[in-house]
Amino acid sequence: MLTEQIKEYAEDNWGSFLKSLTEISKNHNSGDSLVYNENEIYSFDDISKALYPEQNEPASVDGLVIGDNYLELIEFKGGFKQKITKDSFDAEKGRCQISGDVCQDYWSIFFEYQKRKIRELVVSIRFKALESYITIEKQVFPRCSFDERKALKVILTVVIDETGVDSMEDTLSELAGKKSDDNCYDSIRKALSGLKNREDYTGMPYFYNQINVISIQDFMNRSTT
């Protein structure tokens, strides 16, 4: 099977790239981890560096899991959880010190800035998802047989720091056939929808067979079961 060949290749070449989820989910700017768990998976960042030794490596997601008949690429992305929302903000903090009035323009600009930062995060996720798949397709698969390619699932899982409540809201909205424009889960799925279930002219599948966007808690529940 193709996954068996990839597992064998990984064991022979990527053993030093096995790292804990705590390490792989770490934000290199803040030093904080999105997930604290000592289970190990492959660091896809390190794999990408190894596969492109003499050129600038492309953008890459954080982790790789090699399962039975599937590869799962995992991206941990913080920055979605907002301390101040339209439901929880304190209007008094936007009060003008000169006029004494609450400045509506201040809050409009503030929330527009938040939306822009979220859009930048979503674009970053899509860029990493695209270039990571190209690495899998052009650098990993050619090292193995393609005989079982149609039976192999390639999964993308995006883990974000939004709350489980928002994840539940997203699930309920999906069941009701409605989507909220402010729901980041749906925004990410929409941005990634073009990277799912494609076929070339020969009928060979490419891009991701499945895309998951889940909360930290949902990922932790999955990782401990």
Side-chain angles (χ1 to χ4, degrees), residues 48-207:
S48 293
K49 291 176 183 177
L51 292 174
Y52 298 89
E54 297 183 3
Q55 50 189 310
N56 293 331
E57 70 270 11
S60 57
V61 298
D62 297 309
L64 171 68
V65 175
I66 304 173
D68 295 332
N69 297 320
Y70 74 87
L71 300 180
E72 183 179 21
L73 293 163
I74 304 176
E75 170 67 6
F76 297 96
K77 182 65 75 175
F80 287 94
K81 184 174 179 59
Q82 303 298 326
K83 294 181 179 180
I84 300 176
T85 69
K86 289 183 178 180
D87 295 326
S88 66
F89 80 100
D90 181 2
E92 291 299 316
K93 291 184 178 181
R95 187 174 294 280
C96 177
Q97 294 182 355
I98 298 174
S99 68
D101 297 327
V102 173
C103 180
Q104 297 301 322
D105 288 341
Y106 171 86
W107 287 112
S108 296
I109 293 171
F110 176 84
F111 288 119
E112 182 55 40
Y113 172 77
Q114 279 194 346
K115 286 183 178 180
R116 182 170 61 82
K117 296 299 289 184
I118 295 297
R119 287 195 293 267
E120 289 175 356
L121 291 174
V122 173
V123 169
S124 172
I125 290 171
R126 190 179 192 282
F127 189 59
K128 286 188 173 186
L130 176 59
E131 296 215 341
S132 294
Y133 183 84
I134 292 173
T135 295
I136 290 290
E137 183 76 36
K138 300 301 182 182
Q139 294 289 339
V140 176
F141 288 164
R143 290 166 164 79
C144 308
S145 168
F146 275 75
D147 294 343
E148 301 290 332
R149 175 64 186 93
K150 286 190 175 182
L152 175 71
K153 290 181 67 176
V154 183
I155 301 168
L156 173 66
T157 297
V158 181
V159 183
I160 63 174
D161 64 341
E162 190 53 284
T163 64
V165 171
D166 291 312
S167 178
M168 184 180 297
E169 176 190 89
D170 176 64
T171 301
L172 294 173
S173 297
E174 187 173 15
L175 291 172
K178 299 178 180 179
K179 285 296 179 181
S180 169
D181 292 337
D182 293 330
N183 192 293
C184 55
Y185 292 92
D186 187 46
S187 297
I188 297 169
R189 290 195 192 99
K190 285 180 178 177
L192 298 174
S193 61
L195 306 182
K196 182 179 176 183
N197 291 330
R198 298 296 181 111
E199 291 186 353
D200 65 19
Y201 76 101
T202 68
M204 185 66 70
Y206 69 97
F207 278 155

Side-chain angles (χ1 to χ4, degrees), residues 19-28 33 35-39:
K19 296 181 178 180
S20 70
L21 289 167
T22 301
E23 181 65 25
I24 287 178
S25 69
K26 183 177 292 184
N27 182 309
H28 297 294
S33 296
V35 169
Y36 289 90
N37 187 301
E38 293 310 302
N39 290 341

